[in-house]
Amino acid sequence: AQTVTQSQPEMSVQEAETVTLSCTYDTSESDYYLFWYKQPPSRQMILVIRQEAYKQQNATENRFSVNFQKAAKSFSLKISDSQLGDAAMYFCARETSGSRLTFGEGTQLTVNP
Amino acid sequence: DTAVSQTPKYLVTQMGNDKSIKCEQNLGHDTMYWYKQDSKKFLKIMFSYNNKELIINETVPNRFSPKSPDKAHLNLHINSLELGDSAVYFCASSQDSRSVAYFGPGTRLTVT
């Protein structure tokens, strides 16, 4: 089975500091999409960032950026200048052929004031 | 304007009952999905529809039957509810399989 693995069930960061969430995945495809979604206590799933595998440049969205290592099948999320509102469960996901997202197990991020 | 809406947001019911969850998207997307999030927060796809046609049925019991009356709606009907069906069910939509998926607010189903 093609999987997505998040090895950090929980992470914590001090407000204004930087934190990196890890994600590795398995795929036999050369062209695919990767995503990070955020799920705050409201349980709404919110897209944080998207990366297209054929693009070498790492995606960036304001304080959120990724480190995409295609050969290593690694897709980590870096949150800079962490804010209290960043506290949430973060899910890494890979688009799978056949129109679906395969999700990792999630990383619960706590932001300490 | 809500992009993807689900009703109800909470559903408490007894074992053996039949229930439905409705989903509507106003984004003009062609593809709609149902995902299940279990008690450990693991998310897994159940169904995917493209232009009202089923394209993914991810080994879901026959008690679950999705219905897409039109491109903007994808409802989920569950027969003979079991305790293990308790979960949060998310509807989502995307323009195509490689576009960003927009999720509804989720429906927390509790079976007692």
Side-chain angles (χ1 to χ4, degrees):
Chain A
Q2 298 189 350
T3 59
V4 177
T5 302
Q6 294 177 248
S7 59
Q8 306 152 316
E10 298 177 345
M11 291 282 284
S12 63
V13 63
Q14 289 296 125
E15 198 175 1
E17 298 292 310
T18 296
V19 64
T20 299
L21 309 184
S22 301
C23 174
T24 58
Y25 59 92
D26 179 25
T27 184
S28 56
E29 300 169 25
S30 60
D31 187 19
Y32 48 90
Y33 288 67
L34 297 163
F35 304 85
W36 278 97
Y37 279 87
K38 165 185 177 181
Q39 186 178 39
S42 67
R43 82 166 179 248
Q44 178 71 52
M45 292 289 289
I46 302 166
L47 177 72
V48 175
I49 203 164
R50 179 175 84 151
Q51 174 78 42
E52 298 166 54
Y54 66 86
K55 288 188 176 179
Q56 292 186 343
Q57 187 173 6
N58 289 325
T60 299
E61 286 287 341
N62 302 315
R63 297 181 295 107
F64 298 87
S65 61
V66 300
N67 183 2
F68 173 48
Q69 303 288 329
K70 190 172 184 179
K73 296 180 183 173
S74 170
F75 181 59
S76 60
L77 175 70
K78 185 171 85 170
I79 307 174
S80 303
D81 185 25
S82 297
Q83 300 176 359
L84 294 177
D86 295 334
M89 179 75 89
Y90 286 81
F91 292 97
C92 176
R94 181 177 60 80
E95 166 260 344
T96 306
S97 60
S99 185
R100 74 189 77 185
L101 290 173
T102 299
F103 286 90
E105 307 92 331
T107 297
Q108 182 67 52
L109 178 66
T110 301
V111 181
N112 300 310
Chain B
D1 280 346
T2 303
V4 183
S5 60
Q6 292 178 231
T7 53
K9 289 188 179 177
Y10 297 93
L11 186 53
V12 181
T13 188
Q14 291 184 326
M15 283 176 57
N17 285 347
D18 303 338
K19 290 294 179 185
S20 292
I21 306 171
K22 295 185 177 181
C23 177
E24 177 181 3
Q25 55 97 1
N26 62 5
L27 298 167
H29 288 166
D30 290 336
T31 306
M32 295 186 73
Y33 315 82
W34 278 108
Y35 285 85
K36 178 181 179 179
Q37 186 173 41
D38 64 22
S39 58
K40 295 184 179 179
K41 299 229 171 170
F42 186 67
L43 273 154
K44 187 175 180 184
I45 191 159
M46 301 174 68
F47 301 102
S48 172
Y49 269 72
N50 184 269
N51 272 322
K52 302 192 300 176
E53 291 192 18
L54 179 68
I55 55 176
I56 293 175
N57 180 343
E58 192 68 14
T59 59
V60 177
N62 291 337
R63 298 182 296 102
F64 291 80
S65 53
K67 285 187 171 51
S68 183
D70 56 58
K71 203 172 76 165
H73 296 84
L74 180 61
N75 304 323
L76 183 65
H77 188 76
I78 315 171
N79 289 326
S80 304
L81 278 155
E82 301 177 356
L83 292 177
D85 297 332
S86 295
V88 178
Y89 293 85
F90 285 98
C91 177
S93 75
S94 66
Q95 183 53 45
D96 54 52
S97 63
R98 297 199 145 176
S99 298
V100 172
Y102 292 87
F103 284 78
T107 296
R108 180 177 293 280
L109 171 65
T110 303
V111 182
T112 62

